[in-house]
mmCIF file of all heavy atoms in Angstrom:
data_model
loop_
_atom_site.group_PDB
_atom_site.id
_atom_site.type_symbol
_atom_site.label_atom_id
_atom_site.label_comp_id
_atom_site.label_asym_id
_atom_site.label_seq_id
_atom_site.Cartn_x
_atom_site.Cartn_y
_atom_site.Cartn_z
ATOM 1 N N TYR Z 136 -7.115 10.566 -2.201
ATOM 2 C CA TYR Z 136 -8.535 10.810 -1.848
ATOM 3 C C TYR Z 136 -9.202 11.756 -2.800
ATOM 4 O O TYR Z 136 -8.669 12.815 -3.132
ATOM 5 C CB TYR Z 136 -8.552 11.388 -0.419
ATOM 6 C CG TYR Z 136 -9.936 11.730 0.083
ATOM 7 C CD1 TYR Z 136 -10.770 10.748 0.561
ATOM 8 C CD2 TYR Z 136 -10.362 13.040 0.128
ATOM 9 C CE1 TYR Z 136 -12.043 11.067 1.061
ATOM 10 C CE2 TYR Z 136 -11.617 13.364 0.618
ATOM 11 C CZ TYR Z 136 -12.454 12.397 1.066
ATOM 12 O OH TYR Z 136 -13.679 12.729 1.570
ATOM 13 N N LEU Z 137 -10.343 11.348 -3.313
ATOM 14 C CA LEU Z 137 -11.090 12.180 -4.241
ATOM 15 C C LEU Z 137 -12.460 12.462 -3.662
ATOM 16 O O LEU Z 137 -13.110 11.567 -3.131
ATOM 17 C CB LEU Z 137 -11.243 11.457 -5.606
ATOM 18 C CG LEU Z 137 -9.951 11.019 -6.311
ATOM 19 C CD1 LEU Z 137 -10.273 10.073 -7.438
ATOM 20 C CD2 LEU Z 137 -9.183 12.222 -6.786
ATOM 21 N N ALA Z 138 -12.921 13.711 -3.789
ATOM 22 C CA ALA Z 138 -14.240 14.054 -3.286
ATOM 23 C C ALA Z 138 -14.944 14.945 -4.258
ATOM 24 O O ALA Z 138 -15.100 16.153 -4.063
ATOM 25 C CB ALA Z 138 -14.114 14.747 -1.920
ATOM 26 N N PRO Z 139 -15.451 14.357 -5.403
ATOM 27 C CA PRO Z 139 -16.128 15.139 -6.394
ATOM 28 C C PRO Z 139 -17.417 15.744 -5.881
ATOM 29 O O PRO Z 139 -18.005 15.216 -4.902
ATOM 30 C CB PRO Z 139 -16.459 14.099 -7.484
ATOM 31 C CG PRO Z 139 -16.463 12.794 -6.742
ATOM 32 C CD PRO Z 139 -15.435 12.908 -5.672
ATOM 33 N N THR Z 140 -17.778 16.893 -6.473
ATOM 34 C CA THR Z 140 -18.989 17.602 -6.003
ATOM 35 C C THR Z 140 -20.165 17.492 -6.982
ATOM 36 O O THR Z 140 -21.162 18.168 -6.830
ATOM 37 C CB THR Z 140 -18.659 19.088 -5.718
ATOM 38 O OG1 THR Z 140 -18.073 19.637 -6.898
ATOM 39 C CG2 THR Z 140 -17.737 19.198 -4.572
ATOM 40 N N SER Z 141 -19.993 16.675 -8.043
ATOM 41 C CA SER Z 141 -21.138 16.454 -8.921
ATOM 42 C C SER Z 141 -21.054 14.998 -9.430
ATOM 43 O O SER Z 141 -19.978 14.356 -9.423
ATOM 44 C CB SER Z 141 -21.119 17.382 -10.143
ATOM 45 O OG SER Z 141 -20.145 16.955 -11.064
ATOM 46 N N LEU Z 142 -22.217 14.509 -9.825
ATOM 47 C CA LEU Z 142 -22.338 13.135 -10.311
ATOM 48 C C LEU Z 142 -21.466 12.951 -11.560
ATOM 49 O O LEU Z 142 -20.782 11.930 -11.738
ATOM 50 C CB LEU Z 142 -23.798 12.865 -10.620
ATOM 51 C CG LEU Z 142 -24.298 11.425 -10.497
ATOM 52 C CD1 LEU Z 142 -23.898 10.808 -9.171
ATOM 53 C CD2 LEU Z 142 -25.798 11.379 -10.693
ATOM 54 N N LYS Z 143 -21.517 13.964 -12.430
ATOM 55 C CA LYS Z 143 -20.772 13.923 -13.690
ATOM 56 C C LYS Z 143 -19.291 13.750 -13.403
ATOM 57 O O LYS Z 143 -18.617 12.891 -13.966
ATOM 58 C CB LYS Z 143 -21.051 15.180 -14.487
ATOM 59 C CG LYS Z 143 -20.279 15.373 -15.771
ATOM 60 C CD LYS Z 143 -20.951 14.646 -16.918
ATOM 61 C CE LYS Z 143 -20.249 14.895 -18.251
ATOM 62 N NZ LYS Z 143 -19.008 14.147 -18.466
ATOM 63 N N GLU Z 144 -18.791 14.621 -12.492
ATOM 64 C CA GLU Z 144 -17.367 14.586 -12.147
ATOM 65 C C GLU Z 144 -17.023 13.195 -11.535
ATOM 66 O O GLU Z 144 -15.984 12.624 -11.855
ATOM 67 C CB GLU Z 144 -17.157 15.685 -11.088
ATOM 68 C CG GLU Z 144 -15.687 16.039 -10.813
ATOM 69 C CD GLU Z 144 -15.551 16.947 -9.621
ATOM 70 O OE1 GLU Z 144 -16.500 17.655 -9.226
ATOM 71 O OE2 GLU Z 144 -14.421 16.985 -9.028
ATOM 72 N N ALA Z 145 -17.893 12.688 -10.690
ATOM 73 C CA ALA Z 145 -17.625 11.398 -10.041
ATOM 74 C C ALA Z 145 -17.545 10.279 -11.066
ATOM 75 O O ALA Z 145 -16.634 9.433 -11.022
ATOM 76 C CB ALA Z 145 -18.712 11.139 -9.032
ATOM 77 N N CYS Z 146 -18.480 10.247 -12.002
ATOM 78 C CA CYS Z 146 -18.458 9.188 -13.041
ATOM 79 C C CYS Z 146 -17.312 9.319 -13.996
ATOM 80 O O CYS Z 146 -16.702 8.314 -14.466
ATOM 81 C CB CYS Z 146 -19.816 9.185 -13.793
ATOM 82 S SG CYS Z 146 -21.197 8.760 -12.728
ATOM 83 N N ASP Z 147 -16.918 10.569 -14.268
ATOM 84 C CA ASP Z 147 -15.697 10.808 -15.117
ATOM 85 C C ASP Z 147 -14.462 10.224 -14.375
ATOM 86 O O ASP Z 147 -13.589 9.641 -15.011
ATOM 87 C CB ASP Z 147 -15.498 12.267 -15.384
ATOM 88 C CG ASP Z 147 -16.501 12.812 -16.455
ATOM 89 O OD1 ASP Z 147 -17.081 11.946 -17.125
ATOM 90 O OD2 ASP Z 147 -16.672 14.023 -16.574
ATOM 91 N N LEU Z 148 -14.381 10.451 -13.071
ATOM 92 C CA LEU Z 148 -13.267 9.908 -12.284
ATOM 93 C C LEU Z 148 -13.250 8.365 -12.309
ATOM 94 O O LEU Z 148 -12.212 7.728 -12.386
ATOM 95 C CB LEU Z 148 -13.327 10.414 -10.832
ATOM 96 C CG LEU Z 148 -12.936 11.883 -10.664
ATOM 97 C CD1 LEU Z 148 -13.311 12.375 -9.244
ATOM 98 C CD2 LEU Z 148 -11.435 12.080 -10.904
ATOM 99 N N LEU Z 149 -14.500 7.778 -12.252
ATOM 100 C CA LEU Z 149 -14.588 6.290 -12.345
ATOM 101 C C LEU Z 149 -14.034 5.794 -13.658
ATOM 102 O O LEU Z 149 -13.333 4.792 -13.737
ATOM 103 C CB LEU Z 149 -16.061 5.877 -12.176
ATOM 104 C CG LEU Z 149 -16.664 5.960 -10.788
ATOM 105 C CD1 LEU Z 149 -18.099 5.541 -10.808
ATOM 106 C CD2 LEU Z 149 -15.867 5.122 -9.767
ATOM 107 N N ARG Z 150 -14.355 6.518 -14.763
ATOM 108 C CA ARG Z 150 -13.866 6.140 -16.095
ATOM 109 C C ARG Z 150 -12.372 6.320 -16.176
ATOM 110 O O ARG Z 150 -11.649 5.476 -16.671
ATOM 111 C CB ARG Z 150 -14.608 6.946 -17.163
ATOM 112 C CG ARG Z 150 -15.997 6.419 -17.495
ATOM 113 C CD ARG Z 150 -16.668 7.177 -18.620
ATOM 114 N NE ARG Z 150 -17.248 8.431 -18.153
ATOM 115 C CZ ARG Z 150 -18.483 8.532 -17.738
ATOM 116 N NH1 ARG Z 150 -19.297 7.481 -17.676
ATOM 117 N NH2 ARG Z 150 -18.974 9.732 -17.312
ATOM 118 N N GLU Z 151 -11.879 7.459 -15.673
ATOM 119 C CA GLU Z 151 -10.473 7.788 -15.751
ATOM 120 C C GLU Z 151 -9.603 6.779 -15.021
ATOM 121 O O GLU Z 151 -8.500 6.431 -15.499
ATOM 122 C CB GLU Z 151 -10.255 9.229 -15.217
ATOM 123 C CG GLU Z 151 -8.817 9.739 -15.441
ATOM 124 C CD GLU Z 151 -8.657 11.112 -14.811
ATOM 125 O OE1 GLU Z 151 -9.678 11.813 -14.538
ATOM 126 O OE2 GLU Z 151 -7.484 11.464 -14.549
ATOM 127 N N HIS Z 152 -10.079 6.347 -13.846
ATOM 128 C CA HIS Z 152 -9.245 5.493 -12.994
ATOM 129 C C HIS Z 152 -9.750 4.058 -12.915
ATOM 130 O O HIS Z 152 -9.550 3.347 -11.888
ATOM 131 C CB HIS Z 152 -9.141 6.094 -11.599
ATOM 132 C CG HIS Z 152 -8.559 7.479 -11.557
ATOM 133 N ND1 HIS Z 152 -7.307 7.793 -12.038
ATOM 134 C CD2 HIS Z 152 -9.128 8.654 -11.133
ATOM 135 C CE1 HIS Z 152 -7.116 9.076 -11.879
ATOM 136 N NE2 HIS Z 152 -8.175 9.624 -11.363
#
Side-chain angles (χ1 to χ4, degrees):
Chain Z
Y136 177 78
L137 304 168
T140 52
S141 77
L142 208 51
K143 175 85 173 76
E144 194 190 339
C146 295
D147 285 345
L148 286 167
L149 287 178
R150 280 183 279 270
E151 189 184 339
H152 302 300

